[in-house]
């Protein structure tokens, strides 16, 4: 394990040209009607990673299970609404089943969470649905419960946070995930890192006519399926984990994002939990909180 004592602020790449372009884009956006702006995919801002803050903002991870065999329009709209309503606090990865976008992580996660009975469904922070709901105790549940359970999870506190640096070089990419905790966490804690892609053309999507595009599709898991072990029993400095030179030639690099989260693995399917999550557009840097 690598623990870094961060006495000075970490330096990131300057990206001067990007900052100038962003200033121009912001000025130009003043003349655009609000109704034309899609807040789910805001203009990425390259940030500088600082020392970890005293407190971490709790963010929520939604893992959605869907596929082209199922009518997912309303479910996709619900996920997008949650992401835009809780801007910067809710992230999502979509795991497809029985179509050209399925990868093995679908089975890894559904088995980990006790199985899945229908599609589309979602797991929110991998914790069971609220006791007052019709699917209380289930960890993968239907659309009508996503909003209330997301809101409940956002009211929780988190003792761990993440920051991410990433870069693209030709057809490969790299990222570094930084983890810090302000209290000892005595549990089987792991870091899981996803690569997701937006705006993928559907081949034969049920329930739609014309062109349909899939967003937030899980393309690759950079760690083990249930994550790589991270020891958070100590509170001393920052842990760094790097994932170097992974191939992105099969994807549209401009639509790729990194999602990293700390998940606690419990003894059974209703005792797991995602403690906190962070997302960055690939090629950019995201600071704590």
């Amino acid at each position: 394990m690598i623990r870094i004592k961060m006495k000075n602020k970490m330096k990131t790449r300057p990206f001067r040209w990007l900052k100038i372009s962003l200033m121009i884009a912001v000025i130009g956006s003043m003349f655009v009607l609000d109704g034309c702006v899609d807040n789910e995919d805001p203009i990425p801002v390259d940030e500088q990673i600082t020392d970890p803050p005293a407190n971490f903002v709790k963010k929520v991870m939604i893992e959605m299970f869907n596929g082209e065999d199922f009518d997912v329009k309303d479910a996709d709209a619900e996920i997008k609404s949650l992401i835009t309503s809780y801007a910067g606090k809710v992230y999502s990865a979509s795991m497809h089943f029985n179509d050209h976008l399925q990868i093995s992580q679908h089975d890894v996660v559904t088995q980990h969470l006790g199985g899945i009975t229908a599609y589309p469904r979602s797991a929110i922070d991998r914790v069971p649905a609220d006791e007052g709901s019709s699917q209380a105790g289930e960890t993968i549940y239907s659309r009508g419960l996503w909003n209330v359970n997301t809101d409940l999870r956002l009211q929780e506190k988190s003792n761990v946070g993440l920051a991410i640096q990433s870069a693209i070089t030709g057809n490969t990419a790299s990222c570094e995930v930084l983890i810090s905790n302000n209290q000892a966490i005595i549990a089987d804690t792991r870091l899981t890192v996803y690569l997701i892609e937006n705006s993928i053309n559907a081949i034969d999507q049920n329930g739609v006519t014309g062109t349909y595009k899939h967003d937030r599709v899980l393309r690759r898991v950079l760690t083990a399926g249930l994550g790589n072990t991270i020891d958070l029993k100590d509170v001393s400095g920052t842990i760094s984990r790097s994932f170097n030179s992974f191939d992105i030639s099969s994807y549209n690099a401009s639509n790729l994002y990194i999602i990293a989260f700390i998940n606690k693995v419990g003894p059974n399917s209703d005792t797991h939990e995602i403690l906190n999550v962070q997302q960055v557009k690939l090629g950019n840097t995201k600071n704590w909180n």
Side-chain angles (χ1 to χ4, degrees), residues 208-226:
V208 302
T209 57
T211 302
Y212 189 85
K213 293 183 180 293
H214 300 295
D215 288 326
R216 304 172 297 276
V217 177
L218 180 58
R219 299 297 249 164
R220 183 171 179 176
V221 183
L222 301 181
T223 55
L226 296 181

Side-chain angles (χ1 to χ4, degrees), residues 110-152:
T110 55
Q111 291 171 15
H112 181 61
L113 298 180
I116 185 169
T117 58
Y119 295 84
R121 291 288 189 271
S122 285
I124 298 175
D125 271 352
R126 296 187 180 177
V127 299
D130 178 59
E131 288 300 321
S133 71
S134 59
Q135 298 175 62
E138 296 184 26
T139 52
I140 302 176
Y141 42 87
S142 57
R143 178 170 62 90
L145 302 176
W146 298 349
N147 197 316
V148 63
N149 284 278
T150 296
D151 184 66
L152 287 170

Side-chain angles (χ1 to χ4, degrees), residues 143-263:
R143 178 170 62 90
L145 302 176
W146 298 349
N147 197 316
V148 63
N149 284 278
T150 296
D151 184 66
L152 287 170
R153 288 298 297 170
L154 285 169
Q155 296 176 41
E156 298 287 333
K157 293 183 179 179
S158 183
N159 297 320
V160 61
L162 305 96
I164 309 173
Q165 298 183 107
S166 65
I168 299 173
T169 306
N171 288 326
T172 64
S174 300
C175 73
E176 180 186 19
V177 180
L178 304 173
I179 307 106
S180 182
N181 54 304
N182 55 25
Q183 290 187 24
I185 301 175
I186 311 300
D188 179 359
T189 47
R190 307 184 191 186
L191 169 68
T192 304
V193 182
Y194 285 171
L195 179 69
I196 66 170
E197 184 178 4
N198 281 344
S199 196
I200 301 175
N201 288 328
I203 293 178
D204 188 20
Q205 177 61 54
N206 183 36
V208 302
T209 57
T211 302
Y212 189 85
K213 293 183 180 293
H214 300 295
D215 288 326
R216 304 172 297 276
V217 177
L218 180 58
R219 299 297 249 164
R220 183 171 179 176
V221 183
L222 301 181
T223 55
L226 296 181
N228 297 345
T229 298
I230 294 290
D231 187 350
L232 300 178
K233 296 182 180 67
D234 295 328
V235 183
S236 57
T238 298
I239 302 171
S240 170
R241 291 290 184 271
S242 295
F243 305 87
N244 298 318
S245 300
F246 52 90
D247 184 16
I248 58 171
S249 60
S250 298
Y251 319 124
N252 183 338
S254 63
N255 293 333
L256 293 175
Y257 293 77
I258 293 289
I259 296 180
F261 56 89
I262 298 296
N263 54 297

Side-chain angles (χ1 to χ4, degrees), residues 50-122:
T50 63
D51 291 340
N55 298 296
F56 300 106
V57 172
K58 175 69 179 87
K59 302 181 181 183
V60 170
M61 178 64 180
I62 302 177
E63 292 169 289
M64 182 182 178
F65 306 94
N66 61 7
E68 294 197 348
D69 291 343
F70 317 103
D71 188 342
V72 299
K73 298 189 304 300
D74 291 342
D76 278 339
E78 179 75 9
I79 295 293
K80 183 172 183 177
S81 175
L82 287 167
I83 292 171
T84 55
S85 296
Y86 300 104
K89 292 185 177 181
V90 174
Y91 303 122
S92 180
S94 177
M95 301 183 204
H96 281 239
F97 172 71
N98 200 36
D99 65 20
H100 64 291
L101 296 173
Q102 181 176 355
I103 65 172
S104 61
Q105 186 69 359
H106 169 277
D107 293 345
V108 170
V109 177
T110 55
Q111 291 171 15
H112 181 61
L113 298 180
I116 185 169
T117 58
Y119 295 84
R121 291 288 189 271
S122 285

